[in-house]
Amino acid sequence: MTSKIFLENLKIYGYHGVLPEENIIGTYFILNVEIHADLWKAVGTDDLNDTINYAEVNDIIHEEMKIPSKLMEHVVGRISKKIKLAFPQITFIKVRMTKTNPPMRGEMSGVSVEIEKSY
C-alpha cells in the first residue's frame, strides 16, 4: 500500500540566488513536498512512530532554507536528501521550490524547480 503526505505552499523567506543582491535582500519561497510511504500500520495503531512525522519534515525544510545557496536545485536536493535520511521508509519524494520574485524582466508569479526521486 502506498500512502501520500503533502506539505503544501509552505512560505519561507530565504536568501538563495546567483546575484549578490539576492543573498542580501532575499525573497519569499514557496515549497511543496510530496512523500510516498506505506503508512498502513499507523491506520491501526494511531501511533506517530508508525508514520512520517510531517512536523519533523517541516523542521527539516526550515533548517535547510536557512542555508544560503546559489541554486534552487541545490536547496531542493538537500531538503530531499535530509527528509529521506530521517525517514528511510519513504519510497518516493518530490520537492518543488518557487522563488516568488525572481530578478528578471516581465511579470510572473515565480520561477520553480522541482526534483523527484523514487527509492
Side-chain angles (χ1 to χ4, degrees):
M1 174 187 190
T2 298
S3 306
K4 299 177 183 179
I5 293 176
F6 299 91
L7 279 80
E8 299 178 296
N9 299 321
L10 179 58
K11 188 176 183 181
I12 303 173
Y13 205 85
Y15 300 88
H16 310 295
V18 174
L19 301 176
E21 57 267 25
E22 293 179 283
N23 297 294
I24 296 167
I25 299 167
T27 191
Y28 280 105
F29 293 83
I30 308 296
L31 289 108
N32 288 275
V33 178
E34 178 180 341
I35 296 168
H36 298 191
D38 183 351
L39 305 177
W40 187 248
K41 186 175 180 183
V43 171
T45 65
D46 196 27
D47 187 338
L48 184 58
N49 295 314
D50 294 331
T51 190
I52 307 291
N53 183 338
Y54 52 79
E56 285 184 35
V57 172
N58 184 53
D59 288 344
I60 290 168
I61 295 167
H62 275 85
E63 287 305 308
E64 291 303 315
M65 286 296 292
K66 288 180 185 177
I67 303 168
S69 295
K70 291 178 184 170
L71 301 178
M72 290 194 297
E73 293 87 341
H74 185 70
V75 181
V76 169
R78 286 197 328 259
I79 290 169
S80 179
K81 289 175 188 176
K82 285 275 178 93
I83 293 170
K84 174 61 175 167
L85 188 62
F87 301 99
Q89 68 269 42
I90 289 173
T91 58
F92 173 86
I93 186 164
K94 178 167 46 174
V95 179
R96 179 183 181 119
M97 180 175 176
T98 303
K99 182 182 288 191
T100 59
N101 290 309
M104 300 187 304
R105 293 185 300 178
E107 190 173 324
M108 66 180 80
S109 56
V111 172
S112 301
V113 168
E114 181 176 274
I115 293 178
E116 59 183 68
K117 184 164 176 70
S118 296
Y119 298 93

